[in-house]
Amino acid sequence: MKRTPKTYHVKSFGCQMNVYDGERMAELMAADGMVATDDAGAADLVVLNTCHIREKATEKVYSDIGRIRKTQGEAGRAAPMIAVAGCVAQAEGAEIVRRAKVDVVVGPQAYHNLPRLVADAAAGTPALDTDMPLASKFGQLPARRRVGPSSFLTVQEGCDKFCTYCVVPYTRGAEVSRPFAAIVDEAKALVDAGAREITLLGQNVNAWTDGERDLGALIRVLDRIPGLARIRYTTSHPNDMTQGLIDAHRDVESLMPFLHLPVQAGDDRVLRAMNRSHTRDSYLRLIDRIRAARPDIALSGDFIVGFPGETEAEFAATLSLVDAVGYAQAFSFKYSPRPGTPAADMAGQVAAEVMDDRLRRLQAALNRDQQRFNAATVGARCDVLIERRGKLPGQMLGKSPWLQSVHLTASAAIGDIVTVQIAHAGPNSLGGIVTAGLAA
Ligand code: 5AD
Ligand code: SF4
């Protein structure tokens, strides 16, 4: 028998949806009487909230479990209870108990049961719950606690797109939208708890609908919550970019001029093989419409290099798409075959050295554009939401409307929105001088 844990530590890997789920799991454990600790090496219960998207992310879970046990053993402590949550839990289920002897395995749609599973494990049986019940977990979670100035709110989960390389439709299930009223209530609770910015989350966030409204209509309602200064959303699929959402970018001042819109590749044959259901041209035309609605919008994307069968000429089409769009920032990955996905069995798997070379060239182009975008904001005035203290004395860090990190020296408080003039730009952050917004 393990003892009932008194302290807990949640470690989230992967996407922002995991960060949100991790916060909600922490709230559950706190409501159950446990106390948070920042130190995984000292916690009675360690929850690893895992990511399955690429092979490296999955392997990290197993090495982390080993490391936590070792640290606690070296400190002479009893072995901690280990719970594996998130997408690896969903995908591997009982296999994790076999391979790593963990105490609890809980999937992303079942974590509201975590306190019960922990109690079961304390009573001596490894506890597993990877159900995807029809009734949503959200109604069974405790109220939101104090949050930082920038907070996440999951409004949509799951994916029906079945891109051929991707595990998400299997680990997170089908597309489900949370009800309108529940989202508005949670947004108000977050603002009451200290949020000034809310990022709406979903694997396909722009597929959110309540049957009548689209995400643009939801954003127009959230815009009216007093005290909520900024709204963002991520991640979007090009095919779910409704006219209503594009119009919201034109009309809603609190909707920040930033859009993460993954394209993955620039060649139509590759896009077809990926089952992306958009073409290079339809994506570029969509970008034109979005820019017409909001000319200063900063664009971000995701890219995969070395998808099975990708030729040099097809990869060159990705580079030329990058040139055509001019991203403000982006994420790029080497293709990683995921067991059970169609692409894992496709002919023409690309050699590791070729992928390395393509990733290097793609990242050079993306970094060049990011630097260009940052440099173009020098001299501009913009609002910065202060999120935390910097490393230097008196330094504060925040975000520009275009999601750039801005550092400044001022007696601003966390949660303040100050107007700054951008004085210099580096590859990853900007320096600003406050011109307004501070209390006298
Ligand atoms: N290999 C590499 N990258 C992947 N992504 C999703 N699945 C894979 C995979 N099997 C990337 C996509 C997606 C992002 C979240 O992760 O670019 O948009
Ligand atoms: Fe994965 Fe494609 Fe769904 Fe995005 S849209 S989660 S890449 S299947």
Side-chain angles (χ1 to χ4, degrees):
M1 256 200 10
K2 291 233 166 171
R3 65 206 159 94
T4 304
K6 293 197 179 67
T7 58
Y8 70 90
H9 177 85
V10 181
K11 188 168 175 188
S12 287
F13 303 85
C15 66
Q16 288 152 323
M17 301 205 54
N18 265 9
V19 175
Y20 175 86
D21 289 343
E23 287 170 4
R24 309 276 351 227
M25 286 187 244
E27 288 164 355
L28 266 168
M29 256 101 59
D32 206 42
M34 279 184 251
V35 177
T37 164
D38 285 343
D39 181 3
D44 299 335
L45 166 67
V46 179
V47 181
L48 298 174
N49 189 22
T50 61
C51 174
H52 196 56
I53 197 102
R54 285 168 294 275
E55 190 179 1
K56 265 199 189 143
T58 306
E59 283 308 314
K60 209 168 169 334
V61 179
Y62 290 102
S63 55
D64 244 58
I65 292 170
R67 194 166 34 242
I68 290 161
R69 287 203 174 116
K70 186 157 171 266
T71 316
Q72 296 226 6
E74 282 168 359
R77 292 174 45 85
M81 185 182 283
I82 293 184
V84 176
C87 292
V88 175
Q90 192 66 40
E92 310 229 321
E95 175 60 24
I96 309 170
V97 180
R98 269 194 297 277
R99 182 166 161 192
K101 309 271 176 300
V102 300
D103 306 279
V104 175
V105 175
V106 62
Q109 304 308 341
Y111 66 75
H112 53 290
N113 294 325
L114 197 51
R116 180 175 56 71
L117 296 165
V118 167
D120 287 353
T125 31
L128 178 102
D129 189 346
T130 51
D131 287 352
M132 293 196 181
L134 276 180
S136 137
K137 64 189 170 249
F138 292 109
Q140 300 169 63
L141 297 173
R144 302 305 317 256
R145 296 187 301 185
R146 198 171 62 79
V147 296
S150 177
S151 182
F152 294 136
L153 200 180
T154 292
V155 303
Q156 183 278 343
E157 287 190 287
C159 181
D160 297 338
K161 307 290 190 290
F162 289 95
C163 299
T164 52
Y165 50 80
C166 184
V167 287
V168 167
Y170 312 96
T171 55
R172 289 274 173 166
E175 289 179 7
V176 177
S177 295
R178 283 181 74 188
F180 172 77
I183 295 167
V184 176
D185 284 353
E186 190 171 328
K188 285 180 179 159
L190 286 170
V191 173
D192 287 346
R196 301 215 64 195
E197 169 176 284
I198 292 180
T199 302
L200 307 175
L201 298 181
Q203 264 92 30
N204 275 291
V205 71
N206 59 340
W208 181 87
T209 179
D210 65 353
E212 283 167 38
R213 303 177 184 89
D214 66 359
L215 189 70
L218 175 65
I219 286 168
R220 285 176 198 266
V221 173
L222 298 178
D223 171 61
R224 295 202 295 269
I225 297 176
L228 180 57
R230 292 180 161 195
I231 302 171
R232 303 180 184 277
Y233 61 95
T234 197
T235 285
S236 295
H237 191 284
N239 284 16
D240 291 320
M241 216 55 222
T242 61
Q243 190 57 44
L245 183 53
I246 295 174
D247 290 347
H249 275 287
R250 183 191 59 210
D251 301 334
V252 180
E253 210 190 322
S254 65
L255 180 57
M256 291 293 102
F258 183 92
L259 176 62
H260 181 62
L261 197 62
V263 63
Q264 314 295 358
D267 175 81
D268 282 343
R269 189 204 64 81
V270 175
L271 289 169
R272 243 189 340 269
M274 288 178 162
N275 193 31
R276 284 294 294 176
S277 63
H278 60 76
T279 61
R280 173 194 181 92
D281 192 50
S282 71
Y283 181 86
L284 289 173
R285 277 187 282 123
L286 176 60
I287 298 287
D288 286 344
R289 282 166 56 214
I290 296 163
R291 281 196 163 133
R294 181 76 205 222
D296 72 332
I297 200 158
L299 291 164
S300 164
D302 288 344
F303 296 87
I304 296 175
V305 301
F307 185 79
E310 184 187 68
T311 64
E312 176 58 29
E314 287 165 346
F315 170 67
T318 298
L319 290 178
S320 73
L321 180 131
V322 166
D323 290 346
V325 173
Y327 290 92
Q329 59 154 75
F331 303 94
S332 47
F333 312 99
K334 288 185 268 186
Y335 169 70
S336 168
R338 308 308 291 128
T341 59
D345 298 324
M346 285 179 187
Q349 300 285 325
V350 174
E353 317 79 74
V354 176
M355 283 208 245
D356 286 339
D357 177 58
R358 289 183 188 165
L359 187 66
R360 192 184 45 71
R361 286 150 68 201
L362 175 59
Q363 290 185 339
L366 293 168
N367 289 343
R368 169 205 69 199
D369 289 350
Q370 179 167 332
Q371 199 132 19
R372 255 185 216 159
F373 183 86
N374 286 347
T377 51
V378 172
R381 256 170 222 275
C382 67
D383 284 351
V384 171
L385 169 59
I386 307 290
E387 294 181 1
R388 57 194 168 89
R389 253 167 255 294
K391 287 203 187 83
L392 305 175
Q395 193 186 50
M396 303 300 283
L397 294 178
K399 291 273 162 53
S400 78
W402 307 284
L403 207 64
Q404 298 145 297
S405 289
V406 183
H407 50 91
L408 46 94
T409 305
S411 56
I414 290 169
D416 282 352
I417 293 179
V418 294
T419 306
V420 308
Q421 179 152 29
I422 303 299
H424 51 92
N428 296 312
S429 68
L430 308 175
I433 295 162
V434 176
T435 60
L438 287 178

